[in-house]
Amino acid sequence: MSLKRHIPFLRWSFLRVVTGTRSLTTTGQIGDGREAAAVDYVLSHARAGDIDDVLARLDEFAYEQSLLINIGDEKGVLLDAAVQRVNPALALELGTYCGYGALRIARAAPSARIYSVELAEANADNARQIWAHAGVADRITCVVGTIGDGGRTLDALTARHGFAAGALDFLFLDHDKDAYLPDLHSILDRGWLHPGSVVVADNVKLPGAPRYREYMRAQQGTRWDTVEHKTHVEYQSLLPDLVLESTFLG
């Protein structure tokens, strides 16, 4: 691994992420066009219909061109393993970004129907292009909205996409870290999870989701069984991170 890959502070695109926090929270993008550039890179470099190659080219772009804030290759292996363990029929992702996480879920669970909720229409458009190029657009649906919008997105998932009590097998949290816990509670209130459903949460250490982590620790062995995976922030090996994998006990 090159020094720039190991030490993120040497990469301008990493520093731009730090300075682009305001843009990220309001638009869902860093603000320098890297997300659209990632789509162009995939469409011009990845083999059409090859999900492995599309994921590899996204990782390549994030390492060599501009840092992306999807789960990445190192933590992605943890996501893959959790999905394979559950083998979900129905999976929900919160935070689409460029579509990377949903792609990994689709690859790990070829029979799953996957829904991804995304705040930004621009991100949704980008992800749909990438999913189509990978050949999985028929299995992944992006719903533009947020779980915390007063119930509109939850109602849409129920009315249009068949979400019902006990139907959700797998949930991936990779959106606004402050929203992890309230959004999980909203989903629990709908009764969509069943005993054995699994929730995977990225970036629990950095940028951090402390209230979510505290909740899972307090509920350990009663409502949830959680494993904390020590890992690194995406696309580098210096900054530590945590991925939480929680099995719902009912």
Side-chain angles (χ1 to χ4, degrees):
M1 180 178 288
S2 69
L3 190 60
K4 281 190 175 182
R5 283 192 174 197
H6 177 71
I7 304 176
F9 314 112
L10 298 178
R11 303 178 61 193
W12 166 246
S13 65
F14 175 84
L15 298 175
R16 186 67 183 84
V17 170
V18 176
T19 60
T21 300
R22 182 176 181 182
S23 174
L24 184 62
T25 56
T26 56
T27 70
Q29 299 186 346
I30 303 303
D32 58 4
R34 73 182 65 194
E35 294 84 9
V39 176
D40 291 341
Y41 189 86
V42 166
L43 297 185
S44 60
H45 289 81
R47 292 184 296 273
D50 188 335
I51 191 170
D52 292 333
D53 199 45
V54 169
L55 283 165
R57 299 292 76 78
L58 280 168
D59 288 333
E60 184 176 81
F61 179 90
Y63 277 122
E64 305 296 341
Q65 304 292 324
S66 294
L67 181 72
L68 298 174
I69 58 170
N70 42 246
I71 192 170
D73 52 348
E74 179 187 354
K75 292 185 291 184
V77 173
L78 299 171
L79 176 62
D80 296 346
V83 173
Q84 290 166 355
R85 179 168 68 86
V86 177
N87 190 24
L90 181 64
L92 176 63
E93 173 188 54
L94 304 186
T96 308
Y97 193 48
C98 292
Y100 182 97
L103 269 184
R104 293 199 80 115
I105 296 171
R107 183 177 65 175
S111 63
R113 185 66 185 164
I114 303 155
Y115 291 86
S116 185
V117 174
E118 169 58 43
L119 171 66
E121 183 68 56
N123 282 341
D125 289 342
N126 287 339
R128 289 172 184 137
Q129 292 182 67
I130 287 175
W131 296 335
H133 193 73
V136 294
D138 60 329
R139 294 200 290 120
I140 310 175
T141 300
C142 190
V143 177
V144 177
T146 68
I147 299 302
D149 62 4
R152 290 188 300 275
T153 297
L154 291 167
D155 288 344
L157 289 168
T158 299
R160 302 174 196 168
H161 303 298
F163 280 67
L168 183 58
D169 304 303
F170 189 86
L171 174 63
F172 177 41
L173 305 177
D174 196 17
H175 59 316
D176 179 359
K177 313 314 166 191
D178 291 336
Y180 279 16
L181 187 55
D183 287 357
L184 176 63
H185 281 312
S186 294
I187 289 169
L188 286 169
D189 289 344
R190 294 276 171 147
W192 290 351
L193 300 179
H194 60 80
S197 295
V198 168
V199 181
V200 170
D202 188 21
N203 300 123
V204 175
K205 184 175 181 66
L206 195 68
R211 289 193 302 143
Y212 179 86
R213 188 182 186 192
E214 290 167 6
Y215 166 79
M216 285 301 179
R217 284 182 162 182
Q219 298 289 324
Q220 178 64 21
T222 55
R223 204 170 193 195
W224 297 92
D225 179 22
T226 297
V227 177
E228 295 191 352
H229 298 283
K230 293 182 179 179
T231 181
H232 299 94
V233 172
E234 44 269 27
Y235 300 117
Q236 51 78 52
S237 60
L238 184 63
L239 300 175
D241 199 1
L242 285 172
V243 170
L244 266 57
E245 179 181 346
S246 304
T247 301
F248 185 54
L249 301 178

